[in-house]
């Protein structure tokens, strides 16, 4: 696979309340002209959880999405097929259709972004995981409070006491987690290095990549992707595109950076300096 930024693919999972009959939504979208839907099509999974297909989006149900008010019916997960980053606008027709029928979200919904990583070495992936770890505090403040620290199915790999944020992100704590990642000698151990009751339900999840390399689990789960789970549910195409771009650039830039070194135990790096460093990495590489 080429390392060009235009070649790597991504996939997304949209959790929301459709507020319309699911099959009617799928049929209405598929009936649009190929131009109007950017050649995208949806497969209706009437009685199954969302899953991946190479050729179509899949609309399935989602048992983790819980209604908390009026106008919240038909909880769904809409899963894209792999899309080239250069064709990012292909998601817009489906998002437009969701808004046309009044789709909504609440705090139980998430928006997950998968970035293809089949060509990356275990060393590359460790760099990406460590970059997310080092800059977790900065990334957290891109999101609403409910998604910053331990958001249900998108947990932090560290213990975060919100009344003592500085302690959670002190260099010594971060270094312990960096060492844990660096010690992982194979894909399984790297996957299990993520803390929590299930290493899949963390902000940066490599289960699909681990299963791809080890040929473990169901074939449908061997996506060969790094999944970014932190973003809250949304049906706003601008928010989606911005988060997809951010995750994509993190994968593309972090693997070339010297970002797996331990943090200084003497001089604490301020939040503002971390923020500058993170986006400088993106600009220099991309």
């Amino acid at each position: 696979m080429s390392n060009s930024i235009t070649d790597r693919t991504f996939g997304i999972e949209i959790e929301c309340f459709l507020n319309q009959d699911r099959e009617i939504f799928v049929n209405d979208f598929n009936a649009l002209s190929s131009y109007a839907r950017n050649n995208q099509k949806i497969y209706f999974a009437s009685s199954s959880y969302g899953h991946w297909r190479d050729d179509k989006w899949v609309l399935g149900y989602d048992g983790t999405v819980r209604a908390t008010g009026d106008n919240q019916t038909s909880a769904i997960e809409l899963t894209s097929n792999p899309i080239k980053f250069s064709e990012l606008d292909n998601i817009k027709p489906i998002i437009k259709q969701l808004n046309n029928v009044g789709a909504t979200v609440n705090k139980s919904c998430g928006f997950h972004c998968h970035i293809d990583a089949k060509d990356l070495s275990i060393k590359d992936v460790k760099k990406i995981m460590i970059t997310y770890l080092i800059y977790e505090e900065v990334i957290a403040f891109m999101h609403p409070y409910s998604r910053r620290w331990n958001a249900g199915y998108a947990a932090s790999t560290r213990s975060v006491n919100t009344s003592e944020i500085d302690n959670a992100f002190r260099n010594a704590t971060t270094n312990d987690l960096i060492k844990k990642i660096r010690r992982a000698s194979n894909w399984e151990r790297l996957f299990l290095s993520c803390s929590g009751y299930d290493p899949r339900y963390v902000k940066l999840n490599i289960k699909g990549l681990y299963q791809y390399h080890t040929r473990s689990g169901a074939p449908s789960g061997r996506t060969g992707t790094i999944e970014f789970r932190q973003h809250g549910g949304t049906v706003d195409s601008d928010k989606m595109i911005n988060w997809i771009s951010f995750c994509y650039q993190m994968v593309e830039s972090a693997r070339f950076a010297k970002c797996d070194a331990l943090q200084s135990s003497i001089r604490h790096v301020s939040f503002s300096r971390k923020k500058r460093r993170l986006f400088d990495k993106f600009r220099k590489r991309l």
Side-chain angles (χ1 to χ4, degrees), residues 25 31 41 56-57 131-132 154 178-180 184 189 221 234 265:
F25 175 84
K41 297 198 75 173
K56 295 178 183 178
W57 293 60
T131 296
Y132 204 96
I178 290 175
K179 290 174 184 176
K180 189 176 181 181
R189 291 182 179 178
T234 183
S265 59

Side-chain angles (χ1 to χ4, degrees), residues 38-99:
N38 282 2
N39 295 314
Q40 304 297 292
K41 297 198 75 173
I42 305 175
Y43 169 77
F44 177 45
S46 59
S47 59
S48 67
Y49 194 75
H51 57 273
W52 294 94
R53 284 182 57 138
D54 289 334
D55 57 339
K56 295 178 183 178
W57 293 60
V58 175
L59 189 149
Y61 72 84
D62 194 319
T64 68
V65 175
R66 302 173 299 279
T68 56
D70 297 333
N71 199 30
Q72 293 180 354
T73 59
S74 299
I76 66 162
E77 180 176 82
L78 189 55
T79 305
S80 78
N81 51 275
I83 300 171
K84 288 184 178 182
F85 186 74
S86 60
E87 299 172 350
L88 186 54
D89 283 349
N90 281 355
I91 72 171
K92 288 184 176 180
I94 286 182
I95 310 310
K96 180 180 179 181
Q97 192 75 354
L98 286 173
N99 283 280

Side-chain angles (χ1 to χ4, degrees), residues 174-189:
T174 299
N175 284 342
D176 286 342
L177 295 170
I178 290 175
K179 290 174 184 176
K180 189 176 181 181
I181 292 170
R182 287 168 59 174
R183 283 196 300 266
S185 57
N186 56 45
W187 288 105
E188 182 178 13
R189 291 182 179 178

Side-chain angles (χ1 to χ4, degrees), residues 6-7 10 21 27-28 34 68 74 83 86 94-95 101 120 129 138 145 181 192 196 204 218 220 249 251 267 283:
T6 60
D7 288 337
F10 71 90
D21 180 87
N27 290 338
D28 286 349
S34 59
T68 56
S74 299
I83 300 171
S86 60
I94 286 182
I95 310 310
V101 303
L120 303 187
M129 293 172 68
V138 176
Y145 187 82
I181 292 170
L192 295 176
L204 192 155
S220 60
Q249 290 169 0
V251 171
R267 182 170 56 85
R283 282 194 293 268

Side-chain angles (χ1 to χ4, degrees), residues 1-12 52 54 80-88 113-120 223-228 244 247-249 251-252:
M1 179 183 291
S2 168
N3 287 335
S4 168
I5 194 169
T6 60
D7 288 337
R8 194 175 297 278
T9 58
F10 71 90
I12 58 175
W52 294 94
D54 289 334
S80 78
N81 51 275
I83 300 171
K84 288 184 178 182
F85 186 74
S86 60
E87 299 172 350
L88 186 54
C113 176
H114 291 250
I115 306 296
D116 181 74
K118 299 183 190 73
D119 62 317
L120 303 187
T223 59
T225 61
I226 297 173
E227 180 187 19
F228 296 83
I244 294 166
C247 296
Y248 197 106
Q249 290 169 0
V251 171
E252 282 295 305

Side-chain angles (χ1 to χ4, degrees), residues 198-252:
D198 188 327
R200 174 188 172 186
Y201 297 127
V202 290
K203 295 174 181 177
L204 192 155
N205 165 40
I206 65 164
K207 183 176 183 179
L209 189 59
Y210 148 62
Q211 292 189 332
Y212 170 81
H213 284 289
T214 60
R215 294 295 185 268
S216 59
S220 60
R222 301 171 192 171
T223 59
T225 61
I226 297 173
E227 180 187 19
F228 296 83
R229 299 178 59 88
Q230 188 167 5
H231 201 288
T234 183
V235 288
D236 184 314
S237 61
D238 288 339
K239 288 182 179 179
M240 291 183 184
I241 287 172
N242 287 340
W243 182 241
I244 294 166
S245 300
F246 176 84
C247 296
Y248 197 106
Q249 290 169 0
M250 172 163 284
V251 171
E252 282 295 305

